[in-house]
Every structure is written in C-alpha cells, then in structure tokens.
Amino acid sequence: MIDSPVSLVLKELIQFDKTSSTSVYIQIAQQIINAIQRGYLKEGTALPGTRIFSQLFTIHRNTAVAVYEELASQGWVEIIPNKGTFVLFPRPKTAKIKAISNQIEDAYSYPKSTGYPFQSSFHLVSNEVFSNAKYHLNDGQPDLRLHPINEFSKWYNAILKRKSLVSKWNSNSKTKYSNFENQICNFLNATRGFHIKPTNLISTRSTEMSLYVISRLLIKRKEIVLVGNLSNHNANTIFQEVGATIKTVPTDENGLDINYIEKHFTKGKIRCVYVCSNRDYPTTNTLSAERRLQLLHLAKKYQFAIIEDDFDYDFQLEGSAMLPMTSSDANGMVIYLGKLGQSLFPSFQTGFVVAPENIISEAKNYLEILDKQGDLIQEQLLSELIYEGEIHRLLKKNGVIYKQRRDYTFDCFNRYFNETIQIKKPSGGLALWIEFTPTISLVQLSEQASKLDVYLPKTLLYQDKNTCAIRFGFGHLNKEEIEIIVSKLKHAYDSLK
C-alpha cells in the first residue's frame, strides 16, 4: 500500500517542516486540500490508513489521525468506520440566483452602492489618511511596545481557565454590583478624590463612546455646547452629529475664559460646556483652580452641565495632578469622562463615565442597546490589576520613560528650531504644543515632511490668523525616533524659506 499510486502522489506533493510554528498535522492537511483542489486526488479516492500514512511520512500515528480528522472537519474527506477514508469535494450548499441574461456577470459581484437613497452624514466624514511614511506622528498616544507582554499573557491565560468565567457568561442573573464596578470605584475614589458608588459609574469601550452616549442623552438639536476656540476634533464631531450648535470660548494660559461665558451668554441658553480636566486639548494649558471654581458656580447659576474629559490623567509626569472638578461638585453639575488601562493594549483599555445616579441609570439603558455583551475577560483582568496594584506599578514604571521622552523631545525642538518656535514643558500628558514664530504654512510643512518620510496628519495642524502651531505626540516614540523626526521636521521647515 505504501507504493500504491495514491501513496506515491502524496509522497511527491507533501512536505513539512517540524521546526515551523504551524503544527505538522495542519501543514499536511493544507497540502492534501491543495492536492484535492488541483485535481491530483479525485473524489472517491481512498487514502492510506493512518498506520500506513504515518509510516509513509515517518510521523506518529496520532499525527496521522489528526490530519484525517482535520480534513473531515472541513468536509474534504469522509471517514467510514471499518472501510477507510475517502476524498470528497465540498459543494456549495446554496444555489446561485439565476440572473437576467444581459446582467449575468453583475449578479455574482457585490454592488458598490445601495439601490435606495439614504442621507450620508457630513460630520462623520473620515479624516484618516493612509501614508507609507516610515514615521507617523499622532496627538499623544502611549507606546504599545511598553506593554508587559509576558506578564499579560500569564494574567490572561489564568483568567481564561477559570470555570467561573463561563458561568458568568451563561448566567442571566446579575448581582447588585460586579467586582469590576466595585474595583474601579475604589480606584477612582483613591486616585481622584471621589466618593462614588457603582450607581455613579458606567464603563464603555472608549472615551469617545462615553461622550457619544452622554451626548445622546443630554443634548437636543440646536442646543448650545461651548468648547475652547482650539478644541478636540473628535469631541466636536460627536457634538455636531447629535445636532448641537457649537460655540467657541477664548482660551489662554489658564484655560477657558469663564468671564467670557458669563458676559456673552445668559441662563438657559447653554446646554453644556466641554472642558479638559488636567490639560487642555490641544494646547496642554491647565484650567486654573480659580477658574474651576468659577465654572462650577456659573454652571449652578446658569443651569448647564459640565462635561469634564480627563483623557490623560494617567500620564502625570511630575508633581500632582489637579483633582477633577467632579471631586468638589456638590450640586450634580459635572459629568466626568476618563480612561483606564492606557498602559495596556487598546483592546484592554476601557472608558468610563462618572455622574449623578439618574443620568447613569439612563446611560446604562442606552449602553444595553449598543454593547449588551460587554467584555468579561477585560473586566476581570482590570479588576485584578487594580486589586493587586499592578495598574499603579505600570503607570509609575511607564511614567518614568514618558518623562524622559518628554524632556528629550523638548530639548530636541529647542536645539533644532532655536528662536523660531515657542514651546513649554507641560507637567504631564504625551504631547507638546509647538507654536511657530514667524508663522509658516503648516500644510506646506506637512507636505515637505511627507517627502522626508514623516507623516504629519492635518488633524495635528492648528492655523488661523492668531495661531500657527502643531500638537506633537511623543509618547509612542523612543529617543532615536524623536531625534530623527525633529531633524526631518527642521529640514522640512528650512525648505519653506
């Protein structure tokens, strides 16, 4: 049987590498499938028994059994007890719809556009541009290379093996509060000076998702939302999509000008004010303690909500972060947005909302529609990282690295650009605000940088009659990459003169 025609064909066609990361039985099965598809093995052909097959390729008989079981599971062979293993050729389970004769080819290709009208959203047009440049800049994202891969694998595998995880998935009952909700409340109470319970909290996939849910609940069409005159593009897009009328407020080194709000608006005219808690986006300026108290007082007086986005609290690089306004809000005026797990891979980061119980209750109902399943593995992992103190250790360890990168980026820009820029060193965050003096065309700077293999997205460019600046994220770059990129930006800058 080893010298049979089928065995000779198999011997000729199949090769495998025992050192490959792909299992031997998978390698062999894939090549047998290829042989069937190419017609070398016809339907009905009897394959050698597992004992002969194992001798043919000098493999363990269990491996031969695994090959045939893999082929059978995919429908390429039929295993008949006491008779043998026979080749099949899978056929489509559904018949094609017959097309009218003059459109026969079109019937089997998917249409590019709908056959019915619908209203596309102007606000949701993507700003993403793909680039083949070697170096990509962003607005201040963490470095995924610092993710603790080995430790993470151990944590993840340990959680997957727990029988309690499956029972939670299969259960329709729910305890009053989950362990994750309790742990995240404890974490926020300890780090942000809160006094919250799980009834004041929901977790989401991201800060953007948090803001979208809150905006849907809070804002009606044409209601006024106030943002800084230089503000977060993603947040503005969400406000516009729910129909808000966005008005801008001047900002300076102390953040939003609260006097401007009081002077130009009256009670009942403002629905909410969007403000960044620790560092204004994009300028990195911090809203002063005096203006925080002033804004809280005005919110109560004018009856508007404050949406406080604390997107970079985890990256306080020196000194102490200012406590959120939420920690001193006795009147229920503030809705707090934040992130947890930013030192982990994005799929294990989570957004959250802290707010009075009545709006959280409504938000949970909304979230049931958008994300009923949730992610129990993510919640279990984050719960344990908080409980065991790993989150604090990761933040502290990575904070040292990010502080070094911030200082190095600051020194590089000063060294290369000298008197042509104004730059200050923020106490935290993963980005610098760089203003050019005299002004230049930032679009042209981006185009020249692209020629030097550096992608500078237009969403990082801020230019009007009063501003000529870029937001430069350094978190995802090491020192060598920072040096290269800043030097290339200087070459691009010089080419504009």
Side-chain angles (χ1 to χ4, degrees):
M1 183 67 179
I2 291 181
D3 296 326
S4 71
V6 174
S7 296
L8 292 174
V9 169
L10 293 174
K11 191 74 174 174
E12 182 72 24
L13 294 176
I14 294 175
Q15 296 179 347
F16 55 87
D17 179 6
K18 291 186 177 181
T19 65
S20 171
S21 59
T22 304
S23 301
V24 169
Y25 82 94
I26 292 292
Q27 295 181 56
I28 296 174
Q30 289 174 341
Q31 292 177 72
I32 292 177
I33 291 171
N34 183 264
I36 296 172
Q37 290 174 323
R38 293 165 63 187
Y40 291 115
L41 297 174
K42 302 293 185 181
E43 185 172 5
T45 300
L47 296 180
T50 55
R51 181 179 58 81
I52 295 174
F53 193 93
S54 62
Q55 294 174 3
L56 191 66
F57 295 103
T58 318
I59 58 177
H60 197 282
R61 190 172 179 181
N62 288 344
T63 304
V65 171
V67 170
Y68 285 175
E69 288 180 346
E70 178 67 20
L71 293 171
S73 69
Q74 295 188 43
W76 292 103
V77 301
E78 180 182 16
I79 301 174
I80 303 176
N82 301 320
K83 289 190 176 182
T85 301
F86 301 89
V87 172
L88 299 175
F89 199 93
R91 290 176 171 77
K93 294 183 178 180
T94 56
K96 290 182 179 180
I97 299 173
K98 293 183 178 180
I100 50 179
S101 58
N102 62 339
Q103 294 180 322
I104 196 162
E105 291 299 324
D106 294 340
Y108 303 133
S109 62
Y110 204 79
K112 293 183 179 180
S113 59
T114 62
Y116 48 83
F118 77 101
Q119 182 64 46
S120 60
S121 174
F122 169 77
H123 306 302
L124 296 183
V125 174
S126 175
N127 284 302
E128 187 174 20
V129 177
F130 295 98
S131 170
N132 293 322
K134 182 177 181 180
Y135 302 100
H136 286 232
L137 295 178
N138 60 46
D139 63 349
Q141 304 299 317
D143 191 347
L144 297 183
R145 293 173 294 188
L146 301 181
H147 176 82
I149 295 175
N150 293 332
E151 294 89 342
F152 189 86
S153 298
K154 295 175 184 176
W155 301 328
Y156 190 80
N157 288 334
I159 290 169
L160 280 178
K161 293 175 182 177
R162 289 183 191 157
K163 294 180 180 178
S164 60
L165 190 66
V166 177
S167 64
K168 287 180 182 178
W169 258 314
N170 292 334
S171 175
N172 289 323
S173 63
K174 178 173 172 60
T175 57
K176 190 173 183 181
Y177 305 128
S178 69
N179 182 48
F180 174 66
E181 290 170 324
N182 283 315
Q183 288 297 336
I184 197 171
C185 281
N186 292 339
F187 179 77
L188 294 176
N189 288 338
T191 58
R192 268 75 158 177
F194 293 166
H195 302 280
I196 62 171
K197 298 177 181 179
T199 51
N200 303 119
L201 173 84
I202 60 167
S203 64
T204 66
R205 301 285 182 173
S206 65
T207 301
E208 291 77 18
M209 187 175 185
S210 298
L211 184 58
Y212 182 80
V213 170
I214 291 301
S215 297
R216 279 290 179 188
L217 292 173
L218 192 67
I219 303 167
K220 296 178 182 177
R221 290 192 62 80
K222 297 186 178 180
E223 288 187 323
I224 292 176
V225 174
L226 301 185
V227 301
N229 59 340
L230 298 172
S231 53
N232 189 319
H233 171 78
N234 287 338
N236 289 348
T237 299
I238 292 171
F239 292 139
Q240 289 172 330
E241 183 59 22
V242 298
T245 299
I246 297 178
K247 301 285 186 180
T248 59
V249 177
T251 59
D252 56 28
E253 65 276 7
N254 292 312
L256 280 179
D257 185 346
I258 311 304
N259 289 330
Y260 178 93
I261 299 176
E262 193 165 13
K263 181 179 179 181
H264 290 82
F265 298 92
T266 57
K267 182 177 180 179
K269 294 296 184 182
I270 306 169
R271 186 53 175 141
C272 65
V273 174
Y274 174 83
V275 62
C276 298
S277 185
N278 262 285
R279 278 159 291 277
D280 181 50
Y281 187 104
T283 65
T284 74
N285 291 327
T286 299
L287 186 65
S288 68
E290 180 183 354
R291 290 190 181 180
R292 289 166 186 258
L293 293 174
Q294 189 181 359
L295 182 58
L296 282 170
H297 174 75
L298 190 62
K300 181 183 178 183
K301 179 181 175 182
Y302 280 11
Q303 294 293 291
F304 60 76
I306 301 170
I307 298 178
E308 183 180 20
D309 189 347
D310 206 356
F311 63 92
D312 64 354
Y313 183 94
D314 284 352
F315 303 113
Q316 185 66 28
L317 305 182
E318 58 191 12
S320 298
M322 293 189 72
L323 291 178
M325 285 183 287
T326 311
S327 63
S328 55
D329 174 28
N331 300 298
M333 310 307 299
V334 184
I335 299 170
Y336 179 83
L337 313 180
K339 292 182 180 180
L340 181 66
Q342 293 185 75
S343 294
L344 304 174
F345 277 140
S347 58
F348 283 89
Q349 299 171 15
T350 186
F352 56 84
V353 180
V354 173
E357 185 174 341
N358 60 338
I359 195 168
I360 289 296
S361 178
E362 288 294 316
K364 285 182 177 178
N365 293 337
Y366 205 102
L367 205 59
E368 277 283 307
I369 301 172
L370 293 177
D371 191 23
K372 182 178 178 64
Q373 178 178 324
D375 191 334
L376 288 176
I377 298 177
Q378 178 202 58
E379 292 181 3
Q380 185 68 33
L381 178 65
L382 289 174
S383 297
E384 296 189 12
L385 294 183
I386 293 171
Y387 180 77
E388 296 175 6
E390 285 294 336
I391 283 287
H392 297 281
R393 286 190 282 274
L394 281 172
L395 291 176
K396 190 171 183 180
K397 179 181 177 181
N398 290 349
V400 172
I401 297 172
Y402 289 132
K403 184 176 184 296
Q404 293 172 348
R405 293 181 179 182
R406 179 204 62 181
D407 294 344
Y408 193 78
T409 306
F410 182 84
D411 292 340
C412 272
F413 270 102
N414 280 323
R415 180 161 28 98
Y416 279 97
F417 285 86
N418 201 5
E419 301 297 325
T420 61
I421 61 168
Q422 291 182 1
I423 181 175
K424 69 176 184 177
K425 189 184 295 186
S427 62
L430 301 181
L432 297 177
W433 179 247
I434 300 162
E435 298 180 273
F436 292 91
T437 54
T439 61
I440 58 171
S441 168
L442 295 181
V443 172
Q444 290 182 11
L445 177 68
S446 176
E447 292 171 351
Q448 292 301 317
S450 180
K451 295 176 182 178
L452 299 173
D453 226 12
V454 175
Y455 175 48
L456 180 61
K458 63 181 181 181
T459 52
L460 305 184
L461 312 180
Y462 293 84
Q463 186 154 32
D464 56 30
K465 63 179 182 180
N466 299 316
T467 308
C468 181
I470 63 173
R471 181 176 169 91
F472 185 96
F474 58 80
H476 67 299
L477 305 170
N478 60 35
K479 288 185 177 180
E480 180 183 357
E481 292 164 341
I482 291 168
E483 182 82 32
I484 292 171
I485 290 173
V486 175
S487 67
K488 287 178 177 289
L489 286 178
K490 182 59 165 65
H491 283 304
Y493 176 86
D494 289 340
S495 69
L496 301 180
K497 295 180 180 179

